[in-house]
Amino acid sequence: MDVKDSEEGNDNPESGKKGAQFRGVRRRPWGKYAAEIRDPWKKRRIWLGTFETAEEAARAYDEANRSMRGPKAVTNFSNPCIDTSLSEAAVGKS
């Protein structure tokens, strides 16, 4: 079983957890992260780029997914507009 786990490439050295992955993100053998999204209407993959960290690639996926599917798209992180307003509200209450 250990051989299978290492062959799948589920190791994420940045998080320290085995199998931690983001939607639309793949880890390249040389350590960079690739992001892509599927276009269900045209039945093809759209290349989003190669990134230094998995989080950067995941954010690129989230942006593309929101532009394709709208505000109810399933993403890796919560909506950045909501995060900003919540953090500003918390700062104002301090």
Side-chain angles (χ1 to χ4, degrees), residues 3-91:
V3 173
K4 182 179 178 186
D5 290 341
S6 64
E7 287 177 356
E8 289 177 0
N10 289 339
D11 297 291
N12 186 348
E14 306 232 350
S15 69
K17 296 179 183 176
K18 192 170 192 174
Q21 291 184 341
F22 292 107
R23 182 181 297 269
V25 177
R26 292 183 289 131
R27 185 168 187 258
R28 296 290 196 177
W30 50 89
K32 294 201 178 201
Y33 295 88
E36 62 186 13
I37 190 167
R38 291 194 56 86
D39 185 345
W41 298 280
K42 294 183 180 179
K43 307 226 184 310
R44 63 182 179 110
R45 284 184 255 174
I46 300 172
W47 181 254
L48 302 175
T50 305
F51 302 87
E52 293 293 323
T53 66
E55 289 79 12
E56 290 174 349
R59 292 195 189 281
Y61 172 87
D62 288 358
E63 184 179 334
N65 200 16
R66 280 192 197 99
S67 70
M68 288 175 69
R69 296 181 175 93
K72 293 190 178 187
V74 177
T75 58
N76 294 300
F77 304 106
S78 61
N79 191 337
C81 297
I82 294 171
D83 290 343
T84 304
S85 63
L86 290 176
S87 63
E88 288 172 359
V91 170

